[in-house]
Amino acid sequence: MKKNLLLFLAIVMLGSLVVFGQDPVITMDSCTNITFSQVKFYGNLVDKGTWTVNGRGFIYSQNPVPTKNNGTVKAVSGTALGSFNSTINTLQPSTTYYVRSFVRRGTTDTVYSQTILSFTTAAATPPTFTTPIISNIGLVDASFACELTSKGDATLQTAAAAKGFVYSTTPNPTYNNYRVNATTSGSTPPIQMTADVTGLASGTLYYVRAFYIVKYGSAAYDTIYSPQVTFTTQHACGNPPFGVSISDVDITEATVQFNKALGQARWEIDYGFVGHNAGEGQSIEVTDTVATLTNLEGGRSYSVFVRAVCGNTYSDWSEIRTFTTVAPPCAGVSGIHTREVGYSSVKIEWTPGSMSQTRWEVVFAKATEALPQTGVIVEGSPLFSPIGLTPQTAYKLKIRAICTDIESMWSDEFTFNTIQQGLEDVEQQSIGVYPNPSTGYVKFDKGDIEVEEWEIRDINGRVVAEGILLPEGFDFEGKKGMFFVYFTTAFGHQIEKIIVR
C-alpha cells in the first residue's frame, strides 16, 4: 500500500514537470566601455531549461525596472549557451540608465535576468568659443565676430541656421530671441564666425552670444552658446541739431528750420527776447525740422535754441540764432501796472507795442467820471505820474501809442485806487516774490496786504494761473522762462517779473 502511494506521487510530480517545464536561466553580468554616448553590455545564457530559446539580448531604460514597454530592446543574434554582448552608441550624455538581459522562450514569452544593473554615461565635452567682439556700433546697427576654437565631442551641424549669434535686451539670450546667421571660415576649428546686424534700437543695451547647433553621437541635437558680451548702441541725442536758421519773419510769426542728427525724431525749441539763456524762454516741442513760432511781439529781437528730445534724455542745445520781428505800423501797449501808490501820487508804467515806440497819449479820470477826449502826451519812457490825486479814490485811464503818421488802438481801461492818507508809513505795501530766479517753486509774502485777485502770465501774455485767494506759493511744474505775476490789492496793482530756470 505504501509503495503504491509513493509511486502515485512520483507520477504526479513528473507530470507537473512535463506540463509546466523548466525556465531558462539568464544573467546580466556587466556594463563596460562607458562613454558619453556608448556602453558595452555582457550577459550569459546559463541554461535553456525545457524551453526552445528563440532570441536573446538586453533591455535598457531610464526607468529603474526596464521592460519591453518602457525601454529599448537590443537583440543579440544567436541562441547558444554562454556569454553574449552588444555595444550601444545612441545614449545621452550625463544620463543614468538601467539594463537587464532577456531570452525569449517559445514564441511569445520573455524571461528577464534577476539582476538589473545601472550605469551613468559620461559628460560630453562641448565645443568652446572665444568671447564675441562687437564693432562698428552705430545707432541701429553693429558687427559681431567670434571664433569656435574646438568642437569637443560634438558633431557640428552644417545648415546655415545652425550657427550664428543671438541677441536681446535681457541677459543670456537664446535661440528663441533675435538671431542672425553667421558667415563662417570653414567647418574645422578654429572657425571664424561673423555677422552684421541692423534694426537695433538706438541708445539701448544689448546682450550677445554666439551659438552653434551640435549633436553628440547619435543623441538629440543641442545648442551650445559662447560667453556673453554686452554693448550699447549710439544714442540719437548724442549730438545736437545743427544748421538752425530763421526765415519768413513777420510781425507776430517766424519760421525756424534746422537739420537733425541721425536717429532724432523730436525736438524742443526754446525762444525769448534777446539775452535770455537756453531753457529760460518759451518752449515748444515739435516732430518736424520746420516749425513756426507764433504770438511774437512786433519790433522785438528774439533768440532761439534747439535741442533733440529722446524720451527722458536731451541733446545739448544748438548754437544760438537771433532775429527781429517786423515792427507793426503802430502796436498797442500792454502790461499796464502801478507802483509807488500813495494817497496823492502814483506811477503808471506799461510795455510799449514795439521797441521803436517813444510817444504815447494817456487819458485819465476818476472812475465815476467820463474819460476826456484828449489826454496827456508822454514822451521818452513809458511812465506817467498823474498829479492832483485825492486819497482813497478810484481812478481809470487808457493809453495809446502815437507813431509817425498814425496812432495805435486804445488800451483796455485800467483802474487803480489811491490809498488812505497816512498809509505811506505802513512797512509793507507790496507783495514779496522769492526766490527769483527760481528753479520752479516761488513763495508769496503778502504780509497784511489784502489781495483782491492775482494771475501769472508767460512772456507771450498767456495766462498760466489765476485766482482770488493768494496761495503761499506756486509751482511752475517744469515750465521755464520769463513770467509776470500781477496782483490787485488795496494799494492798487503790482507786477513782478520772475525767471524760472
Side-chain angles (χ1 to χ4, degrees):
M1 184 68 176
K2 184 176 182 180
K3 290 182 178 180
N4 291 337
L5 178 60
L6 292 174
L7 179 61
F8 173 76
L9 293 174
I11 293 172
V12 171
M13 292 176 65
L14 180 62
S16 175
L17 289 174
V18 172
V19 173
F20 297 105
Q22 181 180 349
D23 283 340
V25 178
I26 185 81
T27 63
M28 181 69 210
D29 294 342
S30 63
C31 303
T32 63
N33 301 334
I34 300 171
T35 68
F36 68 90
S37 63
Q38 184 175 288
V39 66
K40 189 170 186 179
F41 297 146
Y42 286 89
N44 188 12
L45 180 56
V46 178
D47 190 347
K48 295 183 181 180
T50 59
W51 297 88
T52 300
V53 174
N54 292 321
R56 61 183 177 175
F58 304 94
I59 294 178
Y60 60 96
S61 171
Q62 294 180 41
N63 189 299
V65 183
T67 66
K68 290 189 295 183
N69 295 328
N70 62 28
T72 301
V73 176
K74 176 63 175 178
V76 178
S77 62
T79 60
L81 292 175
S83 178
F84 61 95
N85 63 78
S86 181
T87 297
I88 310 299
N89 56 14
T90 58
L91 304 178
Q92 297 285 349
S94 302
T95 303
T96 298
Y97 292 91
Y98 301 86
V99 60
R100 58 180 172 176
S101 58
F102 75 90
V103 294
R104 290 193 182 92
R105 64 180 188 182
T107 58
T108 59
D109 291 335
T110 301
V111 176
Y112 297 103
S113 65
Q114 293 185 353
T115 302
I116 298 176
L117 299 181
S118 68
F119 66 95
T120 301
T121 52
T125 301
T128 56
F129 293 89
T130 60
T131 300
I133 297 174
I134 313 300
S135 61
N136 301 325
I137 300 172
L139 285 170
V140 296
D141 47 24
S143 297
F144 301 160
C146 190
E147 181 178 278
L148 182 77
T149 54
S150 69
K151 68 183 186 67
D153 292 325
T155 300
L156 304 179
Q157 302 306 297
T158 58
K163 49 193 177 297
F165 298 88
V166 291
Y167 55 98
S168 174
T169 55
T170 56
N172 301 316
T174 68
Y175 196 78
N176 294 324
N177 294 112
Y178 295 111
R179 66 178 181 271
V180 58
N181 296 341
T183 299
T184 57
S185 61
S187 58
T188 302
I191 299 174
Q192 304 296 326
M193 302 171 58
T194 58
D196 294 322
V197 181
T198 189
L200 306 174
S202 65
T204 301
L205 174 67
Y206 283 93
Y207 299 83
V208 181
R209 296 197 292 182
F211 76 90
Y212 227 113
I213 296 178
V214 301
K215 196 173 185 181
Y216 297 105
S218 300
Y221 293 100
D222 192 12
T223 303
I224 304 302
Y225 297 99
S226 74
Q228 178 176 267
V229 70
T230 63
F231 74 98
T232 301
T233 50
Q234 295 185 29
H235 204 290
C237 278
N239 297 298
F242 60 96
V244 180
S245 62
I246 311 297
S247 62
D248 300 328
V249 180
D250 204 339
I251 297 174
T252 59
E253 295 184 349
T255 299
V256 179
Q257 189 168 358
F258 53 89
N259 296 315
K260 64 179 181 179
L262 186 64
Q264 296 175 357
R266 192 173 187 86
W267 301 269
E268 179 184 4
I269 300 176
D270 181 270
Y271 62 99
F273 294 140
V274 164
H276 92 287
N277 296 319
E280 296 180 354
Q282 181 72 27
S283 68
I284 58 173
E285 286 197 6
V286 297
T287 56
D288 195 355
T289 56
V290 179
T292 300
L293 306 181
T294 60
N295 298 318
L296 305 177
E297 294 184 23
R300 294 276 187 171
S301 293
Y302 286 86
S303 51
V304 178
F305 304 88
V306 184
R307 67 178 177 179
V309 180
C310 306
N312 295 324
T313 305
Y314 302 87
S315 73
D316 292 335
W317 289 104
S318 68
E319 294 183 350
I320 187 174
R321 288 292 180 268
T322 60
F323 67 95
T324 301
T325 53
V326 176
C330 197
V333 304
S334 61
I336 302 173
H337 62 279
T338 61
R339 64 181 179 89
E340 300 180 17
V341 179
Y343 67 89
S344 62
S345 63
V346 68
K347 290 184 178 180
I348 311 292
E349 294 180 323
W350 60 89
T351 301
S354 68
M355 298 176 68
S356 61
Q357 288 182 8
T358 59
R359 185 179 174 86
W360 301 270
E361 181 181 5
V362 181
V363 290
F364 173 74
K366 290 183 178 181
T368 57
E369 299 175 355
L371 290 169
Q373 295 297 313
T374 59
V376 178
I377 302 300
V378 176
E379 294 186 283
S381 300
L383 174 64
F384 173 59
S385 299
I387 59 176
L389 304 180
T390 59
Q392 207 169 355
T393 304
Y395 290 91
K396 62 184 178 182
L397 60 82
K398 291 197 296 186
I399 305 172
R400 68 177 176 180
I402 301 176
C403 303
T404 303
D405 299 319
I406 57 175
E407 296 85 21
S408 72
M409 298 289 291
W410 285 104
S411 69
D412 292 334
E413 197 171 89
F414 177 78
T415 61
F416 67 93
N417 296 306
T418 54
I419 63 175
Q420 183 177 346
Q421 190 169 4
L423 286 183
E424 295 95 331
D425 296 329
V426 175
E427 183 175 350
Q428 179 176 347
Q429 295 182 1
S430 62
I431 299 170
V433 181
Y434 63 93
N436 190 9
S438 168
T439 57
Y441 183 80
V442 296
K443 293 184 178 181
F444 301 130
D445 181 10
K446 68 184 185 67
D448 295 329
I449 298 175
E450 182 179 348
V451 178
E452 298 175 1
E453 60 181 352
W454 63 277
E455 67 178 15
I456 299 176
R457 293 178 178 267
D458 63 19
I459 197 171
N460 294 310
R462 292 188 286 262
V463 175
V464 175
E466 59 183 341
I468 297 175
L469 297 176
L470 183 65
E472 292 183 357
F474 180 77
D475 190 347
F476 283 86
E477 296 180 342
K479 298 181 179 68
K480 297 179 180 179
M482 184 184 299
F483 299 86
F484 296 91
V485 185
Y486 297 84
F487 303 102
T488 300
T489 72
F491 301 114
H493 298 278
Q494 178 185 343
I495 184 171
E496 296 290 337
K497 180 176 72 174
I498 300 175
I499 300 297
V500 180
R501 295 177 178 172

